[in-house]
Amino acid sequence: MNTSRHDIYAFIHKGLRAFMAHTLVRVGRIDPHDATEVAEVGSEMRALIDICRGHLRHENEVIHAAMNERAPASAASIEAEHVHHARSLDELEALLARLPGDAAAAQALYRTLAAFVAENFEHMQREEAGHNAVLWTHFDDDEIRSLEQRIVSSLSEDEAALSMRWMLPHMTPAERAGMLGGMRAHAPREAFEGVLSLIRPLLGGRDWRKLALALGL
């Protein structure tokens, strides 16, 4: 893969993989009879379901539409997988509603989520290989960044914060500094400082020191 080109999937997929893995582990050890734990894990599950639904919508409406316009049917196989994923998200939501006090529902939720995560890890790899190949053939990097910006601009404050919360801590130090350096240069100061406040508790001391050094904080 030509990593010198702009990869529209790189950071959001890192965030999604981290969020999925984290949530799967939490669901796997949940006590369905502990109301506090059920509420906490349920909140994380709903957030994961929401961000996955949004991700499907953004890819379908922005990335796939652009791909299919310049390379007809180039997104067809992934779009079919998205239909299946949407149904899986509905199933996860239904199982989540049954969770409190129901050990069988907890086990079913865990196994269904495990299958969903496994499918999505393979799915994201196919997008990063196949879809990037189409994008890099038919679009220049400025056009790809424009597609990405359309998605970012469509996010609500809560959606943007959730994305940052899962992307930034799981990037390499160079990727993290590059994204936040760009944000500091182009976004309002309060937005930049808000993101720093959001992620500082999520970074280990070494990662925070590297970021502070890179940004001159």
Side-chain angles (χ1 to χ4, degrees), residues 77-95:
S77 63
I78 291 293
E79 287 175 333
E81 292 180 19
H82 279 189
V83 173
H84 172 67
H85 291 169
R87 288 196 294 265
S88 296
L89 290 168
D90 291 341
E91 183 179 3
L92 287 168
E93 193 167 46
L95 288 168

Side-chain angles (χ1 to χ4, degrees), residues 3-208:
T3 54
S4 66
R5 294 293 309 274
H6 184 69
D7 185 347
I8 197 170
Y9 297 106
F11 296 158
I12 186 58
H13 279 186
K14 278 194 174 186
L16 287 172
R17 287 180 175 115
F19 197 2
M20 288 177 184
H22 166 87
T23 307
L24 178 62
V25 170
R26 290 214 69 188
V27 170
R29 63 172 185 245
I30 195 170
D31 177 358
H33 304 290
D34 183 329
T36 299
E37 188 174 346
V38 167
E40 290 175 354
V41 177
S43 179
E44 288 191 344
M45 268 295 309
R46 290 183 186 89
L48 177 62
I49 290 169
D50 287 346
I51 200 172
C52 286
R53 282 180 173 147
H55 185 65
L56 292 178
R57 184 176 66 254
H58 300 146
E59 288 190 340
N60 288 341
E61 294 178 358
V62 178
I63 301 175
H64 295 176
M67 288 172 58
N68 288 331
E69 182 177 350
R70 296 199 185 176
S74 58
S77 63
I78 291 293
E79 287 175 333
E81 292 180 19
H82 279 189
V83 173
H84 172 67
H85 291 169
R87 288 196 294 265
S88 296
L89 290 168
D90 291 341
E91 183 179 3
L92 287 168
E93 193 167 46
L95 288 168
L96 184 60
R98 290 173 43 202
L99 179 61
D102 188 334
Q107 181 74 340
L109 178 64
Y110 175 65
R111 289 180 173 171
T112 303
L113 179 60
F116 178 76
V117 170
E119 290 170 2
N120 270 269
F121 275 28
E122 294 183 348
H123 172 88
M124 287 187 278
Q125 178 67 24
R126 286 192 287 274
E127 289 178 329
E128 290 163 7
H131 279 203
N132 269 332
V134 174
L135 289 167
W136 293 341
T137 298
H138 296 280
F139 298 81
D140 63 33
D141 281 353
D142 285 342
E143 290 175 313
I144 296 171
R145 290 189 180 95
S146 178
L147 296 175
E148 187 174 59
Q149 188 55 43
R150 281 178 56 194
I151 294 171
V152 171
S153 298
S154 73
L155 299 177
S156 68
E157 285 188 18
D158 288 345
E159 288 173 324
L162 186 63
S163 296
M164 289 293 183
R165 181 260 176 273
W166 286 104
M167 287 192 299
L168 283 165
H170 300 101
M171 293 179 180
T172 69
E175 290 169 343
R176 189 181 302 119
M179 175 173 276
L180 286 169
M183 178 176 288
R184 181 167 61 178
H186 301 291
R189 179 177 177 179
E190 59 270 20
F192 170 71
E193 292 179 348
V195 170
L196 284 184
S197 298
L198 172 70
I199 69 163
R200 182 166 187 174
L202 304 173
L203 296 178
R206 178 177 296 178
D207 278 338
W208 177 257

